[in-house]
Amino acid sequence: MSWNESYKLTWSDFKGPPNKNTSAVAVTASGITFGFSVSKTDDRVVGYTSEVHAHFYPEKSWYKKDEADLHVLGHEQLHFNITELHARKFRQRIDQVKVSNSVRSQLKQLHNTINKELSQMQNTYDSETNYSRNVEAQAKWEAYIAVELKKLSKYKSVD
């Protein structure tokens, strides 16, 4: 499922079997997919196009029905929003790549970098909010991500 500004996750989107061997109440599996094509004339790259999508993976996402609540769902939604934020950052950086014979390697490097940054932010978010248990930190993160998404609204996902 692709990120969409007007759609908020519901528990019915979480279709994976819950992991009973963890204290986690829910897990959001999300990520960025990326593809590109290069146009060449003779041996010279003359252009490129790319596609970047923020995805939620229902079959790999799960929750424990007896422990999950709307607060936890909000925490999980923000994980998906953080993925969208990084998709926007990625699109912004791609916009700055100049056409050259090294465009392939530049795009692949950007993809690796954005995935590292995404992973770091997801881990920091869980750590600072104590996996949603710190309500005050959760509220700060929600406000911060909303502001960051707005700053990059020019690059939002449209499906």
Side-chain angles (χ1 to χ4, degrees):
M1 154 188 330
S2 293
W3 190 91
N4 183 307
E5 193 169 34
S6 62
Y7 184 81
K8 298 291 176 246
L9 295 174
T10 66
W11 286 126
S12 64
D13 295 319
F14 293 71
K15 300 186 186 308
N19 181 346
K20 306 284 188 201
N21 301 320
T22 178
S23 63
V25 173
V27 165
T28 292
S30 64
I32 295 172
T33 58
F34 166 61
F36 67 91
S37 63
V38 172
S39 309
K40 290 176 106 178
T41 299
D42 300 320
D43 283 339
R44 219 173 92 251
V45 173
V46 293
Y48 69 92
T49 59
S50 64
E51 275 195 31
V52 174
H53 298 281
H55 287 291
F56 174 84
Y57 303 104
E59 306 304 326
K60 294 182 178 172
S61 301
W62 55 265
Y63 73 108
K64 295 176 181 170
K65 285 184 176 76
D66 50 340
E67 298 176 56
D69 59 19
L70 289 177
H71 176 73
V72 172
L73 183 60
H75 179 83
E76 300 307 315
Q77 176 68 53
L78 207 62
H79 274 296
F80 194 19
N81 292 0
I82 289 169
T83 302
E84 167 64 12
L85 174 62
H86 284 78
R88 292 180 187 191
K89 288 180 176 191
F90 191 19
R91 289 186 198 104
Q92 180 185 42
R93 291 177 195 176
I94 288 170
D95 263 4
Q96 296 163 1
V97 172
K98 304 281 183 254
V99 175
S100 73
N101 282 345
S102 65
V103 74
R104 276 188 187 88
S105 60
Q106 289 180 64
L107 292 172
K108 288 175 183 173
Q109 182 57 49
L110 280 178
H111 188 225
N112 290 337
T113 300
I114 209 74
N115 276 324
K116 284 184 189 132
E117 291 174 10
L118 171 58
S119 179
Q120 287 171 336
M121 184 177 278
Q122 298 284 24
N123 291 336
T124 302
Y125 168 55
D126 271 339
S127 173
E128 289 184 3
T129 63
N130 190 18
Y131 304 91
S132 86
R133 291 179 198 100
N134 183 331
V135 176
E136 188 178 311
Q138 180 69 34
K140 283 181 184 172
W141 269 92
E142 285 170 8
Y144 169 71
I145 296 301
V147 166
E148 293 302 303
L149 285 169
K150 195 170 199 165
K151 282 183 195 171
L152 294 171
S153 60
K154 173 182 174 183
Y155 298 99
K156 75 179 171 188
S157 292
V158 278
D159 280 327

